[in-house]
Amino acid sequence: MSQKLQAVHASIQAAAAAVSRRPDSVALLAVSKTFGADMVLEAIAAGQRAFGENYLQEAVAKMAAVALALQAGPDAATAQPLLEWHFIGPIQSNKTRPIAENFAWVHTVEREKIAQRLSEQRPPHLPPLNICLQVNISGEASKSGMAPAEVLAAARAIVGLPRLQLRGLMAIPEPTEDLQKQHAAFRQTRELLQQLHAELPAHAAQLDTLSMGMSADMAVAIEEGATIVRVGSAIFGQRERTIQS
Ligand SMILES: *Cc1c(COP(=O)(O)O)cnc(C)c1O
């Protein structure tokens, strides 16, 4: 695990260096879906602090198990306060409350109504919930995310919600071996964020996030401006359960 994490960090650094970006301008989100609390604890011991989860029940149980194990262990003081859980799965509108209560980030907001509920349900003692709008950048009929043409109106409506901090965009391009197509999809996502900067200048500084790139395509995503890469199998190994994304 520690070696795989180091290898992923090395890939991030190489991709950032290739386009003269600072390596610390790209955050690594370790996607721990389907893997147990033991694996998360191993990653924590190796220095990882941010974890992505797709399934609410699984995530909440895992968070509790991790918190309990940390309490007993030597990393309690250093790791627990810095742990950051990101929700990266599809959101049902009747499941927004536990998401608002348990996560620091949500990458998969694809409707204004979901954002409103998350804002209403974010507990007052927690900092605002960081969110990204998920964009269906490749226009796949079966994929989640709003159409690029819908993003500006949604951002305008969501950016003022009191208990949220709109941070940027998230995309999962159609998988392809074609490097040019990979570049194009990530570039379009970056350009969409730049458009938001131009249209919402008062909020440009907070719109600092491009959540894009996974194990197979993170280098290309970083070359095109990713600020968070969401990496699962390259850290934790192949998943056994099949995942609907
Ligand atoms: C599973 C998943 C990932 C990680 O995918 P890997 O190919 O294992 O790196 C990233 N983002 C989302 C939204 C996912 O569902």
Side-chain angles (χ1 to χ4, degrees), residues 152-194:
L152 177 58
R156 276 192 206 286
I158 289 170
V159 78
L161 292 173
R163 299 293 296 139
L164 301 184
Q165 181 87 330
L166 179 60
R167 296 294 295 271
L169 303 177
M170 180 273 213
I172 309 174
E174 188 173 16
T176 168
E177 302 279 299
D178 183 333
L179 267 182
Q180 280 192 354
K181 282 190 183 155
Q182 288 184 19
H183 275 281
F186 291 130
R187 186 185 322 122
Q188 284 159 16
T189 311
R190 184 188 70 220
E191 287 169 356
L192 206 48
L193 185 68
Q194 287 166 342

Side-chain angles (χ1 to χ4, degrees), residues 28-165:
L28 173 59
L29 182 65
V31 177
S32 44
K33 65 181 174 205
T34 79
F35 294 102
D38 52 336
M39 300 281 273
V40 171
L41 288 162
E42 248 189 77
I44 291 171
Q48 181 64 28
R49 295 292 177 266
F51 294 90
E53 289 283 340
N54 296 54
Y55 310 105
L56 189 58
Q57 275 189 314
E58 176 194 334
V60 172
K62 202 179 297 180
M63 286 174 194
V66 167
L68 196 65
L70 281 179
Q71 256 175 33
D75 292 333
T78 48
Q80 182 64 37
L82 296 174
L83 273 193
E84 202 175 75
W85 294 92
H86 295 226
F87 192 78
I88 62 169
I91 305 173
Q92 293 167 264
S93 56
N94 61 345
K95 297 282 172 56
T96 49
R97 186 178 296 279
I99 294 176
E101 289 174 350
N102 286 288
F103 289 84
W105 283 74
V106 178
H107 293 227
T108 41
V109 173
E110 49 179 335
R111 282 185 289 146
E112 186 186 331
K113 181 174 156 236
I114 296 286
Q116 274 167 356
R117 291 177 66 96
L118 289 170
S119 180
E120 283 162 17
Q121 294 168 343
R122 180 66 167 173
H125 68 277
L126 294 177
L129 182 63
N130 296 292
I131 66 159
C132 292
L133 304 181
Q134 184 175 356
V135 191
N136 183 359
I137 201 69
S138 307
E140 292 170 274
S142 63
K143 270 290 166 68
S144 317
M146 50 182 80
E150 297 171 338
V151 167
L152 177 58
R156 276 192 206 286
I158 289 170
V159 78
L161 292 173
R163 299 293 296 139
L164 301 184
Q165 181 87 330

Side-chain angles (χ1 to χ4, degrees), residues 156-240:
R156 276 192 206 286
I158 289 170
V159 78
L161 292 173
R163 299 293 296 139
L164 301 184
Q165 181 87 330
L166 179 60
R167 296 294 295 271
L169 303 177
M170 180 273 213
I172 309 174
E174 188 173 16
T176 168
E177 302 279 299
D178 183 333
L179 267 182
Q180 280 192 354
K181 282 190 183 155
Q182 288 184 19
H183 275 281
F186 291 130
R187 186 185 322 122
Q188 284 159 16
T189 311
R190 184 188 70 220
E191 287 169 356
L192 206 48
L193 185 68
Q194 287 166 342
Q195 203 182 324
L196 291 187
H197 289 166
E199 300 283 346
L200 301 167
H203 302 281
Q206 83 182 53
L207 293 166
D208 58 1
T209 300
L210 283 170
S211 166
M212 55 190 200
M214 318 203 301
S215 295
D217 57 10
M218 65 178 165
V220 178
I222 290 167
E223 289 170 26
E224 294 295 347
T227 65
I228 301 180
V229 288
R230 308 177 312 270
V231 179
S233 48
I235 298 171
F236 295 106
Q238 252 358 86
R239 285 179 294 274
E240 284 170 20

